[in-house]
Amino acid sequence: MDKIQMKTPLVEMDGDEMTRILWQYIKDELLLPFIDLKTEYYDLGLKYRDETNDQVTVDAANANKKYGVAVKCATITPNAARVTEYNLKEMWKSPNGTIRAILDGTVFRAPIMVKGIVPYIPTWTKPITIARHAYGDVYKGVEMKCFEPGTAKLVFDGVNGSHQEEVIMNFTEAEGGVVQGMHNRCNSIRSFARSCFNYALATKQDIWFATKDTISKKYDHTFKDIFQDVYDTEYKERFEAAGITYFYTLIDDIVARVVRSEGGFIWACKNYDGDVMSDMLATAFGSLAMMTSVLVSPDGNFEYEAAHGTVQRHYYAHLEGKETSTNSVATIFAWSGALRKRGELDGIQELQDFADKLEKATIGTIESGYMTKDLALITKMEKEKVHQLNSLDFIKTIRENLAAML
Ligand code: NAP
Ligand code: MG
């Protein structure tokens, strides 16, 4: 069989620990035998980030902007323990944070559903995609401990001489209290809205959005207003033509509706809501290892990855020579997502078909009873039909099924 040819390279961002091991297995077993794989390789492993003073992360993000499509392996975000472990020059920032800041993107996370792994909410028969605004709010907040009586104020001085001032709290008790100031930018909210509406059109799904605008009449209400304005002026007609809808309600109302729903829509979340709800959804759908993630920028760049981390505990077991059973599904889907998008942009139908088959082979492998330990523990399949495989054998079994389809 001739290998599938590519035109434009994918931006390949390698990573750390167990996922770096899986990365190589996936390339060797599932990609290189079938595709004449073209990538521009960036090593985002912590050692090389440190060697380049994290320049490699910036270069990778810029390459993502240049070529449009990237696939990323999970990476370590260093903390104090990692600084010692890797003898780092500095506690480098989160690579995902750096890439998000350069692409100004929105993160979409969707569960991969397979028969036998039943969501904790059994009415969810279709995936729910979370779109998380990855900028501002409490993540860029400024806080103070004011542990004595006194007055906390919110002050704005406009460059043109305007002045706004509000008392946040007049603390009268001896032990005072705490205050917090946070912001968002109208531009970032508008980008967020466009990314959401574009993704809804691209995936033909309804989009739901919620804030607490009844309580937060200026802050949250601005999110509501900008979304409505962007929808009315730029997307309404295209949504109607595609037969999809934009639905806005309050955050507490939406939570209730999500639980009662059957899934199959995109839930746009403010930054904090998205942080919390994506972990809730990943667990409720069965496993963190079955959650894909794609960063979409408003000017149409895509970065695909797994939602989970580097699976450190499994990596240490692997280094000790112990057998691991780490789930590679989300990382495989990061590759298939990126290859499909590359195929779409370059008009290569074969590459899109390959991506579809790779996903089908992966799901089919699990549904026929061959899976990693995390899934074997939670599947509703009859015990005799379940075969728990190690990390590499799982990927090799997918390869057999894929080869049979090609
Ligand atoms: P993690 O790597 O997601 O793993 C947490 C636990 O979840 C694992 O110990 C494992 O549970 C289970 N798990 C996650 N993915 C799995 C998979 N593919 N197959 C089987 N089990 C899986 O999170 P972490 O241990 O908190 O973080 C490790 C490193 O990842 C950190 O340095 C962090 O900075 C980084 N991180 C990176 C990203 C990213 O690059 N996007 C995201 C999050 C975290 P058991 O141990 O019970 O088997
Ligand atoms: Mg979180």
Side-chain angles (χ1 to χ4, degrees), residues 20-87:
R20 189 180 178 100
I21 308 282
L22 299 178
W23 196 258
Q24 199 58 50
Y25 291 165
I26 292 169
K27 283 176 69 179
D28 289 345
E29 297 289 332
L30 301 176
L31 305 175
L32 293 169
F34 309 107
I35 303 173
D36 196 3
L37 193 67
K38 262 199 190 143
T39 73
E40 193 165 293
Y41 180 86
Y42 292 87
D43 184 359
L44 266 52
L46 186 50
K47 190 167 166 288
Y48 194 64
R49 272 184 277 149
D50 193 49
E51 275 172 34
T52 60
N53 297 326
D54 210 22
Q55 184 59 39
V56 66
T57 310
V58 175
D59 292 346
N62 284 326
N64 197 161
K65 274 186 122 168
K66 177 176 168 195
Y67 292 111
V69 188
V71 55
K72 180 180 170 292
C73 180
T75 47
I76 293 169
T77 297
N79 54 15
R82 299 297 199 166
V83 172
T84 315
E85 185 185 351
Y86 284 81
N87 192 19

Side-chain angles (χ1 to χ4, degrees), residues 44-191:
L44 266 52
L46 186 50
K47 190 167 166 288
Y48 194 64
R49 272 184 277 149
D50 193 49
E51 275 172 34
T52 60
N53 297 326
D54 210 22
Q55 184 59 39
V56 66
T57 310
V58 175
D59 292 346
N62 284 326
N64 197 161
K65 274 186 122 168
K66 177 176 168 195
Y67 292 111
V69 188
V71 55
K72 180 180 170 292
C73 180
T75 47
I76 293 169
T77 297
N79 54 15
R82 299 297 199 166
V83 172
T84 315
E85 185 185 351
Y86 284 81
N87 192 19
L88 299 180
K89 294 185 230 168
E90 248 182 64
M91 200 187 288
W92 305 110
K93 281 192 257 174
S94 151
N96 286 41
T98 302
I99 296 165
R100 261 179 232 152
I102 291 174
L103 293 187
D104 185 21
T106 298
V107 177
F108 295 87
R109 289 191 161 181
I112 300 153
M113 298 184 75
V114 295
K115 287 192 202 96
I117 311 293
V118 181
Y120 286 92
I121 299 189
T123 49
W124 289 355
T125 53
K126 295 177 203 160
I128 297 170
T129 301
I130 290 249
R132 173 180 170 191
H133 186 204
Y135 179 84
D137 298 352
V138 70
Y139 301 86
K140 290 258 184 216
V142 179
E143 309 188 326
M144 278 179 206
K145 290 178 178 173
C146 310
F147 291 168
E148 60 178 321
T151 306
K153 290 180 186 171
L154 200 56
V155 179
F156 173 75
D157 287 311
V159 287
N160 296 320
S162 73
H163 180 81
Q164 297 185 57
E165 195 173 310
E166 293 273 349
V167 172
I168 298 172
M169 182 66 189
N170 193 2
F171 293 109
T172 54
E173 290 154 317
E175 58 177 356
V178 285
V179 292
Q180 181 183 60
M182 57 185 202
H183 81 281
N184 222 301
R185 293 170 19 247
C186 294
N187 239 332
S188 176
I189 302 169
R190 200 166 292 112
S191 291

Side-chain angles (χ1 to χ4, degrees), residues 9 294 379:
V294 55
T379 182

Side-chain angles (χ1 to χ4, degrees), residues 132 275-276 279:
R132 173 180 170 191
D275 184 349
V276 177
D279 283 5

